[in-house]
Amino acid sequence: MIELDLRRLRFLREFEERGTMAAVAAALGYSPSTVSQQLALLEKEVGVRLLGRAGRGVRLTEAGHVLARHARVLLSAAEAAEADLAALDGDVRGTVRAGGLQSAARRLLVPAVARMRAEHPRVRMEIFELELEQSLPGLRLGTVDLVIGDEYDSQPRPRPAGLRFTVLLEEPLRLVLSAAHSLAGPGGHVAVTDLRSEVWTASAEGTGHHAMVVGTCRRLGGYEPDLRHRSSDADVQLELVRAGAAVALMPALALPGDDPALAVRGIAETALRRRLVAVTRDTPPAPALTAFLAAVTERVRDLDR
């Protein structure tokens, strides 16, 4: 009978997902040589070759793919068992690793951490800022427990198997201009088509926000935006707008309160919205994660009120 080490199975799953020793090492905080050693030990345990040469690197053999498929099941079962045992005594403890884009981290995750510190002090919280696309591998593999991502009208995200997507909040998108801009008159809406000659700012290329800005200008304005400034920091984008160096299209949650240097306006052509989505693994959550999700949901209610 083969005795399988769950920790080594996780190394195998990580390699299947990420494709290189270096990527696995970076994700798990080990050296590439340690990753290689653990996979070599796993090969000895099962008695078959799991990795084969592929040019200068290595790739999974057929046996490696078979074992990685079973590893997904075994690791999910171990996670469910851990959650069930933790729920028996009603004592909420453990670690929750949660990430999200900047506005979600600032406005949802950080307040939820404060609530957890007061109500469940035995839970260790780890928060990081990360786009959904970057965090999906860790979420699927169990190194991340919760990610808050976003999706925009006309740009729904794919729903990979094994993950649960829950809409937390829907909010409007707003055009943001310098208060000195010629279109920044009191009240009213601004047409995207009237901003054809403007310089734009958006998040980094490859993000949902960047794609949304480009897509909106093409669809509503019929032009390719002059998108010179890219930053995933909303404050940097807003500073560019305050300086009169750019215009922006941003969700309400990323905007400050009353700011005399900014003119926040609705979109004349149509109403556009962003949805914030909580993404977790589609397995029974541990009590600590359940408590944190409740804290995030309560924060959303506070914002609605």
Side-chain angles (χ1 to χ4, degrees), residues 16-287:
E16 181 191 44
E17 185 74 28
R18 302 182 190 277
T20 68
M21 297 290 183
V24 175
L28 297 182
Y30 293 93
S31 67
S33 62
T34 298
V35 174
S36 180
Q37 290 167 8
Q38 290 300 311
L39 290 174
L41 288 171
L42 182 60
E43 284 187 325
K44 289 183 179 180
E45 288 175 351
V46 299
V48 296
R49 291 290 302 276
L50 301 175
L51 299 170
R53 300 299 304 179
R56 295 184 178 180
V58 294
R59 64 183 177 187
L60 291 179
T61 63
E62 182 179 356
H65 283 293
V66 169
L67 186 57
R69 185 173 68 247
H70 288 289
R72 287 196 294 271
V73 177
L74 293 170
L75 291 168
S76 293
E79 185 177 346
E82 184 179 357
D84 288 344
L85 289 172
L88 285 177
D89 60 8
D91 186 16
V92 180
R93 61 186 185 276
T95 300
V96 175
R97 298 166 293 265
L101 62 162
Q102 186 195 57
S103 59
R106 177 183 294 175
R107 302 293 298 278
L108 299 182
L109 293 179
V110 172
V113 167
R115 185 183 292 269
M116 290 291 290
R117 284 173 57 84
E119 298 179 359
H120 303 289
R122 297 187 64 183
V123 175
R124 172 187 170 91
M125 297 299 311
E126 297 179 7
I127 301 298
F128 52 89
E129 182 185 328
L130 201 62
E131 294 284 341
L132 181 58
E133 294 87 351
Q134 300 169 299
S135 56
L136 282 180
L139 190 62
R140 285 193 293 263
L141 292 165
T143 55
V144 177
D145 302 304
L146 165 68
V147 176
I148 298 181
D150 59 1
E151 60 181 14
Y152 297 90
D153 287 346
S154 76
Q155 291 179 288
R157 288 187 180 275
R159 300 289 197 259
L163 299 177
R164 180 181 294 123
F165 290 73
T166 304
V167 176
L168 295 172
L169 176 70
E170 291 195 8
E171 56 177 341
L173 294 174
R174 295 287 185 251
L175 288 166
V176 190
L177 317 174
S178 164
H181 195 283
S182 60
L183 296 176
H189 290 59
V190 172
V192 173
T193 189
D194 290 338
L195 300 173
R196 175 186 294 269
S197 61
E198 298 294 332
V199 173
W200 288 78
T201 180
S203 295
E205 192 169 359
T207 63
H209 182 261
H210 184 281
M212 179 274 296
V213 171
V214 173
T216 298
C217 290
R218 290 173 178 172
R219 183 164 52 90
L220 299 183
Y223 59 87
E224 195 74 15
D226 183 3
L227 214 169
R228 300 184 195 178
H229 309 300
R230 299 174 181 87
S231 173
S232 294
D233 188 328
D235 288 339
V236 172
Q237 294 187 43
L238 290 171
E239 279 300 305
L240 286 162
V241 176
R242 289 187 184 97
V247 298
L249 181 56
M250 303 180 72
L253 202 64
L255 297 174
D258 292 339
D259 186 332
L262 298 174
V264 179
R265 299 290 181 263
I267 303 167
E269 291 91 346
T270 188
L272 296 178
R273 301 182 69 80
R274 176 180 82 157
R275 287 169 294 282
L276 288 183
V277 182
V279 189
T280 58
R281 288 181 295 283
D282 194 13
T283 55

